[in-house]
């Protein structure tokens, strides 16, 4: 107990946040403190423990060997404390808080959410969508559906589906798209946050990428809507555009004559040892089952 008495919880919390985020400024923003307060807390902890925890330069901080070891154990300890607190204050009425990428929520999740609610009427689901990562440490969310490979973290991640990227357009526009070379004469819709964009698709199909794109969006659901309205051809995941393809509002005119791009587009991320919420496993099982059914269609 002597070392724990020497190292107050607030200093350990400041160290854990700085070690996880890799920057005093980011840790300060998360804990709503000033960077100087974080720096002071770290120096105080180093002095109390008589161990250097970070290598500092004018541009960055890097964990020392001792700092990395301490960070791993402190994170385990915080997870265990969180689990214990949640177990002794367990309340099945507590909402399940889900954070998700916006286009996944808009295009894929919301159309299916009715079945989950009907099957689980006692689960109070709270949904939030943004391109930021969920902040589990401040107990804001229980689960996060992330677009793209998640950043390194101590959290558990589950790849959700292998997605297929192919040109999509309205049936009317498809009449002008008989072969891949016809794309050069059409308006190409680009989503700037797409992991694989038109340039990569053209190169994968042995074609020279065009220099100009007629429309650009920062959300897939807007790019898909523009394609439905006949404004151009969008390069998009068939999973994310599943409703539009199923209804016939979008078609895949080149799917048999070109190479699709296959990639893991989304991941489910959550803290390990997350046993405190009774609804988490229920939602996770439902989500994976729905994705499996979607890929079998």
């Amino acid at each position: 107990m002597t070392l724990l008495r020497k190292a107050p919880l607030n200093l350990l919390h400041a160290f854990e946040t700085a070690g996880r985020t890799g920057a005093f400024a980011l840790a300060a923003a998360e804990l709503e403190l000033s960077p100087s307060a974080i720096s002071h807390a770290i120096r105080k902890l180093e002095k109390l423990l008589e161990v250097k925890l970070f290598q500092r330069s004018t541009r960055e901080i890097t964990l020392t060997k001792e700092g990395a070891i301490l960070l791993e154990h402190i994170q385990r300890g915080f997870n265990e404390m969180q689990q214990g607190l949640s177990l002794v204050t367990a309340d099945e009425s507590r909402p399940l808080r889900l954070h998700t990428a916006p286009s996944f929520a808009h295009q894929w999740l919301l159309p299916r959410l009715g079945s989950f609610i009907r099957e689980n009427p006692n689960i109070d689901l709270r949904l939030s969508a943004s391109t930021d990562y969920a902040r589990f440490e401040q107990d804001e969310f229980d689960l996060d559906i992330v677009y793209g490979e998640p950043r390194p973290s101590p959290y558990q991640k589950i790849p959700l589906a292998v997605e297929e990227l192919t040109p999509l357009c309205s049936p009317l526009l498809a009449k002008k798209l008989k072969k891949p070379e016809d794309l050069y004469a059409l308006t190409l819709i680009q989503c700037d946050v797409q992991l694989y964009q038109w340039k990569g698709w053209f190169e994968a199909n042995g074609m020279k990428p065009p220099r100009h794109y007629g429309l650009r969006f920062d959300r897939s659901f807007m790019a898909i809507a523009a394609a439905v309205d006949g404004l151009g051809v969008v390069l998009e995941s068939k999973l994310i555009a599943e409703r539009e393809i199923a209804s016939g509002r979008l078609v895949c005119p080149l799917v048999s004559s070109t190479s699709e791009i296959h990639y893991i587009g989304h991941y489910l991320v959550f803290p390990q040892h997350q046993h405190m919420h009774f609804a988490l496993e229920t939602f996770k099982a439902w989500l994976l089952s729905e994705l499996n059914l979607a890929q079998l269609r």
Side-chain angles (χ1 to χ4, degrees):
M1 288 295 294
T2 304
L3 286 176
L4 283 177
R5 289 172 182 167
K6 289 173 63 178
L9 190 61
N10 64 315
L11 299 187
L12 297 177
H13 197 189
F15 165 71
E16 189 279 332
T17 309
R20 172 170 40 78
T21 61
F24 289 165
L26 293 176
E30 183 172 313
L31 297 179
E32 298 181 351
L33 298 170
S34 67
S36 61
I38 297 294
S39 179
H40 178 74
I42 301 300
R43 291 190 182 279
K44 186 174 181 180
L45 182 61
E46 289 177 324
K47 185 176 180 180
L48 288 170
L49 298 179
E50 298 181 352
V51 173
K52 190 171 184 179
L53 301 173
F54 289 100
Q55 296 287 352
R56 299 166 175 83
S57 70
T58 54
R59 294 186 177 181
E60 62 180 4
I61 59 170
T62 306
L63 284 164
T64 62
K65 178 182 177 181
E66 292 78 11
I69 293 172
L70 182 60
L71 178 64
E72 179 183 351
H73 286 272
I74 285 179
Q75 287 178 330
R76 287 184 198 166
F78 281 171
N79 282 334
E80 289 296 320
M81 285 190 288
Q82 178 62 51
Q83 183 179 351
L85 289 169
S86 298
L87 286 172
V88 300
T89 59
D91 179 5
E92 292 195 354
S93 67
R94 183 168 74 84
L96 178 66
R97 298 154 304 173
L98 172 65
H99 182 271
T100 175
S103 290
F104 185 88
H106 185 276
Q107 290 291 126
W108 192 90
L109 182 60
L110 288 178
R112 288 173 167 79
L113 212 50
S115 69
F116 177 79
I117 294 170
R118 287 190 297 271
E119 294 168 14
N120 303 278
N122 295 323
I123 294 179
D124 182 4
L125 182 64
R126 306 286 174 86
L127 181 65
S128 179
S130 76
T131 55
D132 298 328
Y133 286 98
R135 298 167 69 178
F136 297 117
E137 296 76 16
Q138 295 187 347
D139 202 30
E140 292 183 12
F141 296 103
D142 302 297
L143 294 163
D144 192 10
I145 298 175
V146 176
Y147 179 60
E149 177 74 26
R151 64 187 177 186
S153 75
Y155 311 130
Q156 186 170 346
K157 64 177 182 180
I158 299 175
L160 291 183
V162 177
E163 301 182 32
E164 301 167 343
L165 211 61
T166 191
L168 304 173
C169 66
S170 67
L172 185 62
L173 194 58
K175 295 178 181 179
K176 302 178 182 180
L177 192 50
K178 302 299 183 182
K179 57 185 184 300
E181 289 74 17
D182 292 338
L183 286 169
Y184 293 121
L186 298 175
T187 297
L188 301 183
I189 301 172
Q190 177 118 311
C191 182
D192 289 336
V193 297
Q194 181 68 261
L195 289 175
Y196 296 94
Q197 300 188 354
W198 274 115
K199 182 177 183 293
W201 183 89
F202 275 100
E203 291 173 347
N205 282 277
M207 300 169 65
K208 184 177 180 181
R211 294 183 178 180
H212 177 71
Y213 301 94
L215 285 172
R216 304 177 77 103
F217 296 94
D218 65 353
R219 295 290 183 272
S220 283
F221 66 84
M222 293 192 291
I224 290 170
V228 168
D229 288 338
L231 300 183
V233 184
V234 66
L235 180 68
E236 190 50 74
S237 162
K238 290 195 291 185
L239 179 74
I240 300 302
E242 184 183 60
R243 275 191 308 169
E244 290 78 8
I245 295 172
S247 67
R249 288 177 292 165
L250 287 180
V251 295
C252 315
L254 301 177
V255 70
S256 61
S257 59
T258 60
S259 297
E260 297 176 335
I261 293 177
H262 295 78
Y263 69 109
I264 297 175
H266 294 82
Y267 292 78
L268 182 65
V269 181
F270 53 95
Q272 298 194 47
H273 313 299
Q274 183 73 290
H275 304 302
M276 67 287 295
H277 203 302
F278 83 104
L280 190 150
E281 288 297 327
T282 302
F283 182 84
K284 184 173 72 173
W286 173 84
L287 177 65
L288 295 176
S289 175
E290 287 291 317
L291 282 162
N292 185 54
L293 288 174
Q295 291 197 298
L296 291 175
R297 292 191 186 105

